[in-house]
Amino acid sequence: MVQQAKRIYLLVLISNLFFLIAGAQDEKPQFTHADTLRGSMNPERAYNVLKYDITCTPDYVNKSITGKNIITYIDSGLSQMQIDLQTPLEIDSILQDGKHLSFQRDGNAFHVAVNTSGASKPCLTCRKTLTVFYHGFPQIAKHAPWDGGFIFTKDSLGRPWMSVACEGTGASVWYPCKDYLGDEPDSGARLTMIVPDSLVAIANGRLTYRAPAGKGLYAWTWTVVNPINNYNIIPYIGKYVNWKQIYYGQKGSLDCSYWVLDYDVKKAKKHFQGVDSMLSCFEYWFGPYPFYEDGYKLVQAPYLGMEHQSNIAYGNNFLEGYMGHDLSGTGWGLKWDFIVVHESGHEWFGNNITCKDIADEWIHESFTNYSETLYTGFYFGKNAGDAYCIGTRKGILNLLPIIQYYGVNHGPEGTDEYYKGGNMIHTIRQVIHNDEIFRKVMRGLNQNFYHQTVTALEIQNYINKISGIDFTPVFNQYLRSKNIPELEYKIENNELNYRWTKCNSDFNMPLRVDIGGERWLKPVTDWKKEKLPKGINPVLQIDKNFYVLARNTSANP
């Protein structure tokens, strides 16, 4: 199993590399009308979603679904609203106040006439509902979770096992919604799955209703009361069994619930004992778990894993590491289960704090990638955490900037938003040079932007404010450029000359080095020089915790 996992990992890495090399172009990609409809906050999306109430009946044999979504929203005085539902699914009808509304398909979006008499005045307190009925054959995930869609598969005993994975692909791949990261339903969501009475259906939050639904079917209703990303609203349907535990955390008693296939209970109970240590670490660094009201769940899934809020998908085969492989190559990544740690880290970064535009998805992935380093350091010592972070650099490609284009359905490509972004945060931690302040930044982000959607600039400005250091040039360099800054230096006649190269003109990040002892340099893009004490060995070594390059141009390096 370990060797197989290694081969899978290498194939994924090679395919990502090939894709990026083939697609890395200097010119801007040609975006389509559909990209703009999906990725932009256009006028027809100028309404605020308050709640989704989704009912869905999957047909395992025919691989189809039927359902409805009752969308509660604030009336913004629109004459037309955009509702998203991806082909080949079809909307049957849309009702409001008992009346059928007219609608027109535009690819994966529908333009719905909500006010045929013309736009009215916005009403910030006027709650309205649309009920959207739909059916069809949803896109089937070919390689979940990377290729999204509905999943109709079987467990190892040949019994039906169903779920969804739709980050990137979008929640509209299986239910009608406003498929835009910048608008989460403020009052949460309710999901009712109607399934054969021999199966169990699990979703986000807490089980609030369970009853026969006729014809050998059973209805399972789960309710989440906190704001939630559209792509996080996910069902799991199979032969599940459950056990529960209490974690005593910073906000009191947190209900932890575990759902696994019936034949995996014994090993799952043993393996999931590490959840308490993960929660303890992340509450220390990031603040209280953000969804005490909805609880914490791990659910065995028919794919590797995803960060579904209060409902985390787990498919790592109860192995340590990433399918039994250490992504850092240091050995430290085999001390803990990658999926439990990484996907749970998303509860703080991705679910509590959510980017408004998919171009800023680094906010989700870079901080969560760094949660792995913090976990390693918390339990195995800071040197172990440092080594783990540095080891992940072999996965950095530097072919494209992490942040590219806003207002279109185009997120970061490849893995740099993970490994490069995590190493950027590690570098910022070194510059702050005070872990109490760094911890204050991490906890403050989750408190200040609690249950909010944010932009990159909001995150940057907050870090600058709390740390007291202007990291704007650092963010610009590591997020908006593909180049890694290089320290060019030369040592001659007991004099050190140095400058930053291969970087933006305003890049001025201080750097810790060893040259006859530890010292801090403050390079800019112009040459600077410093006299060195006589008698020291003039060999410069950069602290490896800084993700930078170095080039010695001395006459006799």
Side-chain angles (χ1 to χ4, degrees), residues 417-445:
E417 63 175 325
Y418 297 83
Y419 308 124
K420 183 177 180 179
N423 272 276
M424 175 191 72
I425 294 168
H426 191 60
T427 300
I428 286 172
R429 180 183 179 186
Q430 311 311 309
V431 176
I432 291 175
H433 197 45
N434 184 321
D435 268 359
E436 282 305 308
I437 294 177
F438 181 73
R439 179 173 174 241
K440 184 178 179 181
V441 169
M442 295 294 102
R443 292 174 67 91
L445 284 169

PDB file of all heavy atoms in Angstrom, residues 417-445:
ATOM      1  N   GLU A 417       0.583  27.271  -4.353  1.00  0.00           N
ATOM      2  CA  GLU A 417      -0.210  27.909  -3.304  1.00  0.00           C
ATOM      3  C   GLU A 417      -0.093  27.146  -1.991  1.00  0.00           C
ATOM      4  O   GLU A 417      -0.355  27.697  -0.923  1.00  0.00           O
ATOM      5  CB  GLU A 417      -1.672  28.029  -3.722  1.00  0.00           C
ATOM      6  CG  GLU A 417      -2.363  26.698  -3.956  1.00  0.00           C
ATOM      7  CD  GLU A 417      -3.846  26.847  -4.261  1.00  0.00           C
ATOM      8  OE1 GLU A 417      -4.477  27.750  -3.691  1.00  0.00           O
ATOM      9  OE2 GLU A 417      -4.374  26.044  -5.056  1.00  0.00           O
ATOM     10  N   TYR A 418       0.311  25.888  -2.054  1.00  0.00           N
ATOM     11  CA  TYR A 418       0.549  25.092  -0.855  1.00  0.00           C
ATOM     12  C   TYR A 418       1.981  25.311  -0.347  1.00  0.00           C
ATOM     13  O   TYR A 418       2.206  25.935   0.683  1.00  0.00           O
ATOM     14  CB  TYR A 418       0.348  23.603  -1.141  1.00  0.00           C
ATOM     15  CG  TYR A 418      -1.042  23.210  -1.558  1.00  0.00           C
ATOM     16  CD1 TYR A 418      -1.467  23.337  -2.876  1.00  0.00           C
ATOM     17  CD2 TYR A 418      -1.939  22.679  -0.637  1.00  0.00           C
ATOM     18  CE1 TYR A 418      -2.741  22.959  -3.266  1.00  0.00           C
ATOM     19  CE2 TYR A 418      -3.220  22.294  -1.013  1.00  0.00           C
ATOM     20  CZ  TYR A 418      -3.607  22.440  -2.328  1.00  0.00           C
ATOM     21  OH  TYR A 418      -4.862  22.067  -2.714  1.00  0.00           O
ATOM     22  N   TYR A 419       2.943  24.764  -1.065  1.00  0.00           N
ATOM     23  CA  TYR A 419       4.314  24.691  -0.560  1.00  0.00           C
ATOM     24  C   TYR A 419       5.020  26.045  -0.585  1.00  0.00           C
ATOM     25  O   TYR A 419       5.699  26.408   0.368  1.00  0.00           O
ATOM     26  CB  TYR A 419       5.107  23.657  -1.366  1.00  0.00           C
ATOM     27  CG  TYR A 419       4.422  22.319  -1.456  1.00  0.00           C
ATOM     28  CD1 TYR A 419       4.137  21.726  -2.683  1.00  0.00           C
ATOM     29  CD2 TYR A 419       4.042  21.634  -0.303  1.00  0.00           C
ATOM     30  CE1 TYR A 419       3.509  20.501  -2.765  1.00  0.00           C
ATOM     31  CE2 TYR A 419       3.408  20.411  -0.366  1.00  0.00           C
ATOM     32  CZ  TYR A 419       3.138  19.847  -1.597  1.00  0.00           C
ATOM     33  OH  TYR A 419       2.506  18.641  -1.668  1.00  0.00           O
ATOM     34  N   LYS A 420       4.887  26.782  -1.668  1.00  0.00           N
ATOM     35  CA  LYS A 420       5.519  28.099  -1.730  1.00  0.00           C
ATOM     36  C   LYS A 420       4.829  29.052  -0.759  1.00  0.00           C
ATOM     37  O   LYS A 420       5.486  29.817  -0.050  1.00  0.00           O
ATOM     38  CB  LYS A 420       5.444  28.650  -3.155  1.00  0.00           C
ATOM     39  CG  LYS A 420       6.148  29.993  -3.329  1.00  0.00           C
ATOM     40  CD  LYS A 420       6.088  30.443  -4.787  1.00  0.00           C
ATOM     41  CE  LYS A 420       6.780  31.781  -4.992  1.00  0.00           C
ATOM     42  NZ  LYS A 420       6.725  32.195  -6.412  1.00  0.00           N
ATOM     43  N   GLY A 421       3.494  29.001  -0.726  1.00  0.00           N
ATOM     44  CA  GLY A 421       2.759  29.861   0.205  1.00  0.00           C
ATOM     45  C   GLY A 421       3.094  29.541   1.645  1.00  0.00           C
ATOM     46  O   GLY A 421       3.262  30.441   2.483  1.00  0.00           O
ATOM     47  N   GLY A 422       3.205  28.246   1.981  1.00  0.00           N
ATOM     48  CA  GLY A 422       3.573  27.858   3.339  1.00  0.00           C
ATOM     49  C   GLY A 422       4.966  28.327   3.699  1.00  0.00           C
ATOM     50  O   GLY A 422       5.220  28.783   4.823  1.00  0.00           O
ATOM     51  N   ASN A 423       5.888  28.242   2.748  1.00  0.00           N
ATOM     52  CA  ASN A 423       7.249  28.710   3.010  1.00  0.00           C
ATOM     53  C   ASN A 423       7.321  30.231   3.086  1.00  0.00           C
ATOM     54  O   ASN A 423       8.177  30.769   3.784  1.00  0.00           O
ATOM     55  CB  ASN A 423       8.208  28.156   1.956  1.00  0.00           C
ATOM     56  CG  ASN A 423       8.759  26.799   2.348  1.00  0.00           C
ATOM     57  OD1 ASN A 423       9.726  26.711   3.091  1.00  0.00           O
ATOM     58  ND2 ASN A 423       8.116  25.742   1.862  1.00  0.00           N
ATOM     59  N   MET A 424       6.441  30.935   2.383  1.00  0.00           N
ATOM     60  CA  MET A 424       6.351  32.387   2.552  1.00  0.00           C
ATOM     61  C   MET A 424       5.957  32.719   3.988  1.00  0.00           C
ATOM     62  O   MET A 424       6.550  33.601   4.623  1.00  0.00           O
ATOM     63  CB  MET A 424       5.331  32.971   1.576  1.00  0.00           C
ATOM     64  CG  MET A 424       5.097  34.464   1.761  1.00  0.00           C
ATOM     65  SD  MET A 424       3.667  35.090   0.835  1.00  0.00           S
ATOM     66  CE  MET A 424       2.308  34.397   1.797  1.00  0.00           C
ATOM     67  N   ILE A 425       4.948  32.013   4.511  1.00  0.00           N
ATOM     68  CA  ILE A 425       4.511  32.280   5.885  1.00  0.00           C
ATOM     69  C   ILE A 425       5.627  31.932   6.871  1.00  0.00           C
ATOM     70  O   ILE A 425       5.854  32.641   7.855  1.00  0.00           O
ATOM     71  CB  ILE A 425       3.222  31.494   6.185  1.00  0.00           C
ATOM     72  CG1 ILE A 425       2.083  32.022   5.305  1.00  0.00           C
ATOM     73  CG2 ILE A 425       2.840  31.611   7.662  1.00  0.00           C
ATOM     74  CD1 ILE A 425       0.852  31.152   5.289  1.00  0.00           C
ATOM     75  N   HIS A 426       6.348  30.843   6.606  1.00  0.00           N
ATOM     76  CA  HIS A 426       7.471  30.471   7.470  1.00  0.00           C
ATOM     77  C   HIS A 426       8.539  31.569   7.447  1.00  0.00           C
ATOM     78  O   HIS A 426       9.129  31.905   8.491  1.00  0.00           O
ATOM     79  CB  HIS A 426       8.060  29.145   6.993  1.00  0.00           C
ATOM     80  CG  HIS A 426       9.049  28.538   7.941  1.00  0.00           C
ATOM     81  ND1 HIS A 426       8.740  28.194   9.227  1.00  0.00           N
ATOM     82  CD2 HIS A 426      10.368  28.205   7.767  1.00  0.00           C
ATOM     83  CE1 HIS A 426       9.803  27.671   9.829  1.00  0.00           C
ATOM     84  NE2 HIS A 426      10.803  27.668   8.958  1.00  0.00           N
ATOM     85  N   THR A 427       8.792  32.136   6.274  1.00  0.00           N
ATOM     86  CA  THR A 427       9.765  33.223   6.153  1.00  0.00           C
ATOM     87  C   THR A 427       9.297  34.459   6.909  1.00  0.00           C
ATOM     88  O   THR A 427      10.087  35.114   7.608  1.00  0.00           O
ATOM     89  CB  THR A 427       9.996  33.544   4.660  1.00  0.00           C
ATOM     90  OG1 THR A 427      10.505  32.378   4.002  1.00  0.00           O
ATOM     91  CG2 THR A 427      10.976  34.690   4.489  1.00  0.00           C
ATOM     92  N   ILE A 428       8.015  34.784   6.799  1.00  0.00           N
ATOM     93  CA  ILE A 428       7.466  35.922   7.545  1.00  0.00           C
ATOM     94  C   ILE A 428       7.624  35.695   9.048  1.00  0.00           C
ATOM     95  O   ILE A 428       7.963  36.628   9.803  1.00  0.00           O
ATOM     96  CB  ILE A 428       5.987  36.122   7.159  1.00  0.00           C
ATOM     97  CG1 ILE A 428       5.892  36.726   5.748  1.00  0.00           C
ATOM     98  CG2 ILE A 428       5.263  37.010   8.171  1.00  0.00           C
ATOM     99  CD1 ILE A 428       4.481  36.795   5.198  1.00  0.00           C
ATOM    100  N   ARG A 429       7.419  34.471   9.475  1.00  0.00           N
ATOM    101  CA  ARG A 429       7.604  34.152  10.903  1.00  0.00           C
ATOM    102  C   ARG A 429       9.041  34.429  11.344  1.00  0.00           C
ATOM    103  O   ARG A 429       9.269  34.929  12.451  1.00  0.00           O
ATOM    104  CB  ARG A 429       7.242  32.684  11.130  1.00  0.00           C
ATOM    105  CG  ARG A 429       7.383  32.215  12.578  1.00  0.00           C
ATOM    106  CD  ARG A 429       7.066  30.728  12.664  1.00  0.00           C
ATOM    107  NE  ARG A 429       7.203  30.197  14.002  1.00  0.00           N
ATOM    108  CZ  ARG A 429       7.099  28.897  14.304  1.00  0.00           C
ATOM    109  NH1 ARG A 429       6.842  28.019  13.334  1.00  0.00           N
ATOM    110  NH2 ARG A 429       7.239  28.487  15.558  1.00  0.00           N
ATOM    111  N   GLN A 430      10.023  34.138  10.474  1.00  0.00           N
ATOM    112  CA  GLN A 430      11.420  34.401  10.823  1.00  0.00           C
ATOM    113  C   GLN A 430      11.683  35.895  10.942  1.00  0.00           C
ATOM    114  O   GLN A 430      12.403  36.343  11.838  1.00  0.00           O
ATOM    115  CB  GLN A 430      12.365  33.805   9.765  1.00  0.00           C
ATOM    116  CG  GLN A 430      12.111  32.364   9.383  1.00  0.00           C
ATOM    117  CD  GLN A 430      11.953  31.431  10.557  1.00  0.00           C
ATOM    118  OE1 GLN A 430      12.780  31.396  11.463  1.00  0.00           O
ATOM    119  NE2 GLN A 430      10.861  30.660  10.547  1.00  0.00           N
ATOM    120  N   VAL A 431      11.099  36.665  10.041  1.00  0.00           N
ATOM    121  CA  VAL A 431      11.307  38.123  10.072  1.00  0.00           C
ATOM    122  C   VAL A 431      10.673  38.729  11.321  1.00  0.00           C
ATOM    123  O   VAL A 431      11.257  39.609  11.968  1.00  0.00           O
ATOM    124  CB  VAL A 431      10.747  38.775   8.795  1.00  0.00           C
ATOM    125  CG1 VAL A 431      10.857  40.296   8.869  1.00  0.00           C
ATOM    126  CG2 VAL A 431      11.484  38.249   7.554  1.00  0.00           C
ATOM    127  N   ILE A 432       9.498  38.265  11.688  1.00  0.00           N
ATOM    128  CA  ILE A 432       8.861  38.742  12.922  1.00  0.00           C
ATOM    129  C   ILE A 432       9.744  38.418  14.118  1.00  0.00           C
ATOM    130  O   ILE A 432       9.879  39.224  15.043  1.00  0.00           O
ATOM    131  CB  ILE A 432       7.460  38.110  13.086  1.00  0.00           C
ATOM    132  CG1 ILE A 432       6.509  38.665  12.016  1.00  0.00           C
ATOM    133  CG2 ILE A 432       6.898  38.391  14.485  1.00  0.00           C
ATOM    134  CD1 ILE A 432       5.135  38.023  12.017  1.00  0.00           C
ATOM    135  N   HIS A 433      10.363  37.238  14.101  1.00  0.00           N
ATOM    136  CA  HIS A 433      11.391  36.848  15.080  1.00  0.00           C
ATOM    137  C   HIS A 433      10.861  36.887  16.519  1.00  0.00           C
ATOM    138  O   HIS A 433      11.588  37.219  17.452  1.00  0.00           O
ATOM    139  CB  HIS A 433      12.613  37.768  14.938  1.00  0.00           C
ATOM    140  CG  HIS A 433      13.862  37.241  15.588  1.00  0.00           C
ATOM    141  ND1 HIS A 433      14.268  35.939  15.461  1.00  0.00           N
ATOM    142  CD2 HIS A 433      14.791  37.857  16.388  1.00  0.00           C
ATOM    143  CE1 HIS A 433      15.393  35.766  16.137  1.00  0.00           C
ATOM    144  NE2 HIS A 433      15.725  36.902  16.716  1.00  0.00           N
ATOM    145  N   ASN A 434       9.595  36.594  16.664  1.00  0.00           N
ATOM    146  CA  ASN A 434       8.976  36.577  17.988  1.00  0.00           C
ATOM    147  C   ASN A 434       7.712  35.739  17.868  1.00  0.00           C
ATOM    148  O   ASN A 434       6.707  36.200  17.318  1.00  0.00           O
ATOM    149  CB  ASN A 434       8.650  37.999  18.453  1.00  0.00           C
ATOM    150  CG  ASN A 434       8.088  38.043  19.858  1.00  0.00           C
ATOM    151  OD1 ASN A 434       7.295  37.183  20.255  1.00  0.00           O
ATOM    152  ND2 ASN A 434       8.483  39.056  20.631  1.00  0.00           N
ATOM    153  N   ASP A 435       7.742  34.516  18.398  1.00  0.00           N
ATOM    154  CA  ASP A 435       6.614  33.611  18.201  1.00  0.00           C
ATOM    155  C   ASP A 435       5.366  34.036  18.964  1.00  0.00           C
ATOM    156  O   ASP A 435       4.248  33.630  18.591  1.00  0.00           O
ATOM    157  CB  ASP A 435       7.000  32.182  18.575  1.00  0.00           C
ATOM    158  CG  ASP A 435       7.514  31.398  17.372  1.00  0.00           C
ATOM    159  OD1 ASP A 435       7.550  31.964  16.259  1.00  0.00           O
ATOM    160  OD2 ASP A 435       7.870  30.207  17.533  1.00  0.00           O
ATOM    161  N   GLU A 436       5.518  34.832  19.990  1.00  0.00           N
ATOM    162  CA  GLU A 436       4.323  35.340  20.669  1.00  0.00           C
ATOM    163  C   GLU A 436       3.579  36.310  19.763  1.00  0.00           C
ATOM    164  O   GLU A 436       2.343  36.299  19.704  1.00  0.00           O
ATOM    165  CB  GLU A 436       4.691  35.997  21.997  1.00  0.00           C
ATOM    166  CG  GLU A 436       4.969  35.006  23.109  1.00  0.00           C
ATOM    167  CD  GLU A 436       3.818  34.028  23.327  1.00  0.00           C
ATOM    168  OE1 GLU A 436       2.663  34.487  23.496  1.00  0.00           O
ATOM    169  OE2 GLU A 436       4.051  32.800  23.306  1.00  0.00           O
ATOM    170  N   ILE A 437       4.333  37.137  19.051  1.00  0.00           N
ATOM    171  CA  ILE A 437       3.688  38.058  18.102  1.00  0.00           C
ATOM    172  C   ILE A 437       3.120  37.277  16.925  1.00  0.00           C
ATOM    173  O   ILE A 437       2.004  37.551  16.460  1.00  0.00           O
ATOM    174  CB  ILE A 437       4.689  39.131  17.624  1.00  0.00           C
ATOM    175  CG1 ILE A 437       5.081  40.038  18.798  1.00  0.00           C
ATOM    176  CG2 ILE A 437       4.084  39.964  16.491  1.00  0.00           C
ATOM    177  CD1 ILE A 437       6.116  41.076  18.442  1.00  0.00           C
ATOM    178  N   PHE A 438       3.872  36.296  16.434  1.00  0.00           N
ATOM    179  CA  PHE A 438       3.384  35.484  15.321  1.00  0.00           C
ATOM    180  C   PHE A 438       2.092  34.771  15.716  1.00  0.00           C
ATOM    181  O   PHE A 438       1.134  34.721  14.929  1.00  0.00           O
ATOM    182  CB  PHE A 438       4.452  34.479  14.903  1.00  0.00           C
ATOM    183  CG  PHE A 438       4.040  33.610  13.740  1.00  0.00           C
ATOM    184  CD1 PHE A 438       3.967  34.131  12.460  1.00  0.00           C
ATOM    185  CD2 PHE A 438       3.721  32.269  13.929  1.00  0.00           C
ATOM    186  CE1 PHE A 438       3.584  33.332  11.380  1.00  0.00           C
ATOM    187  CE2 PHE A 438       3.341  31.471  12.868  1.00  0.00           C
ATOM    188  CZ  PHE A 438       3.266  31.999  11.597  1.00  0.00           C
ATOM    189  N   ARG A 439       2.055  34.211  16.910  1.00  0.00           N
ATOM    190  CA  ARG A 439       0.840  33.555  17.382  1.00  0.00           C
ATOM    191  C   ARG A 439      -0.296  34.561  17.510  1.00  0.00           C
ATOM    192  O   ARG A 439      -1.458  34.260  17.185  1.00  0.00           O
ATOM    193  CB  ARG A 439       1.114  32.883  18.724  1.00  0.00           C
ATOM    194  CG  ARG A 439      -0.095  32.189  19.339  1.00  0.00           C
ATOM    195  CD  ARG A 439       0.320  31.410  20.580  1.00  0.00           C
ATOM    196  NE  ARG A 439      -0.841  30.857  21.260  1.00  0.00           N
ATOM    197  CZ  ARG A 439      -1.205  31.152  22.495  1.00  0.00           C
ATOM    198  NH1 ARG A 439      -0.492  32.010  23.210  1.00  0.00           N
ATOM    199  NH2 ARG A 439      -2.266  30.606  23.046  1.00  0.00           N
ATOM    200  N   LYS A 440       0.012  35.776  17.961  1.00  0.00           N
ATOM    201  CA  LYS A 440      -1.010  36.823  18.057  1.00  0.00           C
ATOM    202  C   LYS A 440      -1.581  37.130  16.672  1.00  0.00           C
ATOM    203  O   LYS A 440      -2.790  37.372  16.522  1.00  0.00           O
ATOM    204  CB  LYS A 440      -0.398  38.078  18.668  1.00  0.00           C
ATOM    205  CG  LYS A 440      -1.372  39.212  18.906  1.00  0.00           C
ATOM    206  CD  LYS A 440      -0.679  40.405  19.564  1.00  0.00           C
ATOM    207  CE  LYS A 440      -1.662  41.561  19.791  1.00  0.00           C
ATOM    208  NZ  LYS A 440      -0.988  42.725  20.411  1.00  0.00           N
ATOM    209  N   VAL A 441      -0.739  37.107  15.647  1.00  0.00           N
ATOM    210  CA  VAL A 441      -1.194  37.327  14.272  1.00  0.00           C
ATOM    211  C   VAL A 441      -2.136  36.209  13.843  1.00  0.00           C
ATOM    212  O   VAL A 441      -3.224  36.453  13.301  1.00  0.00           O
ATOM    213  CB  VAL A 441       0.005  37.426  13.311  1.00  0.00           C
ATOM    214  CG1 VAL A 441      -0.465  37.378  11.853  1.00  0.00           C
ATOM    215  CG2 VAL A 441       0.786  38.709  13.561  1.00  0.00           C
ATOM    216  N   MET A 442      -1.737  34.967  14.066  1.00  0.00           N
ATOM    217  CA  MET A 442      -2.544  33.815  13.640  1.00  0.00           C
ATOM    218  C   MET A 442      -3.900  33.795  14.341  1.00  0.00           C
ATOM    219  O   MET A 442      -4.951  33.594  13.713  1.00  0.00           O
ATOM    220  CB  MET A 442      -1.799  32.509  13.918  1.00  0.00           C
ATOM    221  CG  MET A 442      -0.528  32.296  13.123  1.00  0.00           C
ATOM    222  SD  MET A 442      -0.782  32.095  11.345  1.00  0.00           S
ATOM    223  CE  MET A 442      -0.316  33.725  10.782  1.00  0.00           C
ATOM    224  N   ARG A 443      -3.879  33.996  15.647  1.00  0.00           N
ATOM    225  CA  ARG A 443      -5.138  33.995  16.392  1.00  0.00           C
ATOM    226  C   ARG A 443      -5.974  35.223  16.039  1.00  0.00           C
ATOM    227  O   ARG A 443      -7.207  35.148  15.935  1.00  0.00           O
ATOM    228  CB  ARG A 443      -4.853  33.960  17.895  1.00  0.00           C
ATOM    229  CG  ARG A 443      -4.252  32.656  18.371  1.00  0.00           C
ATOM    230  CD  ARG A 443      -3.837  32.715  19.838  1.00  0.00           C
ATOM    231  NE  ARG A 443      -4.998  32.842  20.713  1.00  0.00           N
ATOM    232  CZ  ARG A 443      -5.670  31.820  21.245  1.00  0.00           C
ATOM    233  NH1 ARG A 443      -5.295  30.570  20.985  1.00  0.00           N
ATOM    234  NH2 ARG A 443      -6.706  32.029  22.039  1.00  0.00           N
ATOM    235  N   GLY A 444      -5.305  36.332  15.836  1.00  0.00           N
ATOM    236  CA  GLY A 444      -6.020  37.566  15.509  1.00  0.00           C
ATOM    237  C   GLY A 444      -6.716  37.503  14.165  1.00  0.00           C
ATOM    238  O   GLY A 444      -7.818  38.035  13.997  1.00  0.00           O
ATOM    239  N   LEU A 445      -6.093  36.840  13.183  1.00  0.00           N
ATOM    240  CA  LEU A 445      -6.747  36.671  11.887  1.00  0.00           C
ATOM    241  C   LEU A 445      -8.080  35.957  12.048  1.00  0.00           C
ATOM    242  O   LEU A 445      -9.096  36.373  11.488  1.00  0.00           O
ATOM    243  CB  LEU A 445      -5.835  35.878  10.941  1.00  0.00           C
ATOM    244  CG  LEU A 445      -4.643  36.607  10.330  1.00  0.00           C
ATOM    245  CD1 LEU A 445      -3.708  35.621   9.654  1.00  0.00           C
ATOM    246  CD2 LEU A 445      -5.097  37.671   9.340  1.00  0.00           C
TER     247      LEU A 445
END
